[in-house]
Amino acid sequence: MTVPDETVNSIITIATQKLTGSLSGTFDFANTNEALAILSQRFALGVCFGHPDAISYIEKGVASHMRICYSTTDDRSWSYTDYPSEPLLSCAAAHRLHQNHSNLTHALTVLKAKVDGGMFEIGQSGELTSRLLLLIAKDIYVRKDHDISKDSYIRARGSDDDNYWKAELIDCQKVSVIHFLAHLFGDSFWSQAGDTAKELFKHAYINFSHWVPMDGMISPGPEVRYGSVHCRQVFLIYCHTATDAPRQSGLCATGIAQARSNAAISSHSSTR
């Protein structure tokens, strides 16, 4: 079924409006909650509950910015809330974040001020920094040949190129491990890693659109455990030790898991 070009864009627009709590097509630079909603959905921002603004931030998030209240105590003094793991919503958030260059600058400036004020956790080893670095690097990589002011999707190629439902959202694209790591670390990365490593990864791809938190032990075993979770056509690899059970987070539609002591990268391989 062929649908009008505007249909795909309108879905992204509605998702963005629901997330930001605004009908405006641009960032409201005076509204810090809008920027925080965009970042929280994608980067799993951990709230420091001792901060005086934490409760109001969470309440506004649930009321106006698609944050979900999963449970609450009988007296409503405590509640567990978070953003849903939904790639479409993450793509909408990414589209607004990169709609123009000033949006990203504004959002990160807001986040820096909140982190400096003690409202968000940075992690024992600065894990928030790695979450920002990896995901923003992928955002920029998939947009390097795409006009950021245009559509948030890429049309299908081939016999169905007139079917917009066959289009691929920019931020749900899988990307070559070789090309992405060269983009992230520089062209010299693979020359230092060696030809053997590059050959092993030549058909490997990763795909991720947002981070999600994972609480508690991944495995109850006493030794180091490795496991994989199939998540929206991509595998999430994680690892931890029995003596260290940190709050963890994983990229969803994803290839990377993060823990306090280690991180692992997986790949979605293809022979094409």
Side-chain angles (χ1 to χ4, degrees):
M1 182 180 88
T2 301
V3 297
D5 187 22
E6 280 303 306
T7 300
V8 178
N9 285 328
S10 65
I11 293 173
I12 295 295
T13 298
I14 292 171
T16 305
Q17 290 172 346
K18 298 290 284 184
L19 180 61
T20 60
S22 171
L23 296 177
S24 173
T26 59
F27 243 146
D28 180 359
F29 291 100
N31 185 358
T32 59
N33 285 319
E34 184 174 323
L36 293 176
I38 293 289
L39 295 174
S40 293
Q41 199 283 329
R42 302 194 71 215
F43 297 98
L45 301 183
V47 180
C48 296
F49 289 101
H51 192 276
D53 296 333
I55 301 301
S56 62
Y57 161 73
I58 291 173
E59 290 178 345
K60 289 177 182 176
V62 173
S64 304
H65 299 288
M66 294 193 74
R67 193 177 184 95
I68 295 176
C69 180
Y70 290 104
S71 62
T72 185
T73 56
D74 290 339
D75 61 2
R76 299 188 180 183
S77 59
W78 289 95
S79 61
Y80 172 64
T81 71
D82 211 339
Y83 276 93
S85 174
E86 176 46 61
L88 176 62
L89 189 59
S90 299
C91 290
H95 183 61
R96 175 58 61 87
L97 190 64
H98 297 281
Q99 197 170 29
N100 58 60
H101 298 296
S102 62
N103 283 7
L104 178 60
T105 301
H106 167 68
L108 293 179
T109 300
V110 169
L111 179 60
K112 180 182 183 302
K114 296 297 183 181
V115 169
D116 289 345
M119 184 171 168
F120 293 110
E121 301 172 353
I122 61 172
Q124 289 193 349
S125 301
E127 290 85 354
L128 175 58
T129 302
S130 64
R131 294 202 295 274
L132 291 166
L133 176 64
L134 287 165
L135 192 46
I136 292 175
K138 199 244 183 179
D139 290 349
I140 295 173
Y141 177 77
V142 298
R143 286 171 171 80
K144 64 186 180 69
D145 298 319
H146 185 81
D147 188 338
I148 61 175
S149 65
K150 292 187 176 180
D151 300 328
S152 57
Y153 67 93
I154 299 172
R155 295 188 184 189
R157 299 177 179 88
S159 58
D160 286 334
D161 60 1
D162 64 337
N163 187 339
Y164 294 96
W165 292 120
K166 297 284 187 178
E168 183 178 32
L169 292 170
I170 292 172
D171 295 287
C172 281
Q173 292 181 84
K174 67 180 182 180
V175 298
S176 163
V177 169
I178 290 177
H179 295 155
F180 176 67
L181 292 181
H183 168 76
L184 181 60
F185 296 112
D187 294 334
S188 63
F189 175 82
W190 289 107
S191 62
Q192 297 178 41
D195 293 338
T196 301
K198 191 172 183 178
E199 178 67 19
L200 289 171
F201 283 99
K202 69 179 181 180
H203 295 306
Y205 294 81
I206 53 177
N207 181 19
F208 48 94
S209 63
H210 61 286
W211 288 89
V212 294
M214 298 188 302
D215 291 303
M217 294 286 285
I218 293 174
S219 169
E223 69 279 4
V224 175
R225 297 281 186 174
Y226 293 85
S228 63
V229 178
H230 187 261
C231 181
R232 291 186 173 89
Q233 301 182 347
V234 185
F235 286 91
L236 167 66
I237 305 299
Y238 49 71
C239 59
H240 77 94
T241 61
T243 58
D244 186 14
R247 175 183 173 86
Q248 303 169 16
S249 55
L251 280 166
C252 226
T254 201
I256 301 174
Q258 184 181 57
R260 185 173 68 201
S261 58
N262 47 42
I265 300 179
S266 72
S267 62
H268 178 69
S269 298
S270 171
T271 56
R272 290 183 296 174

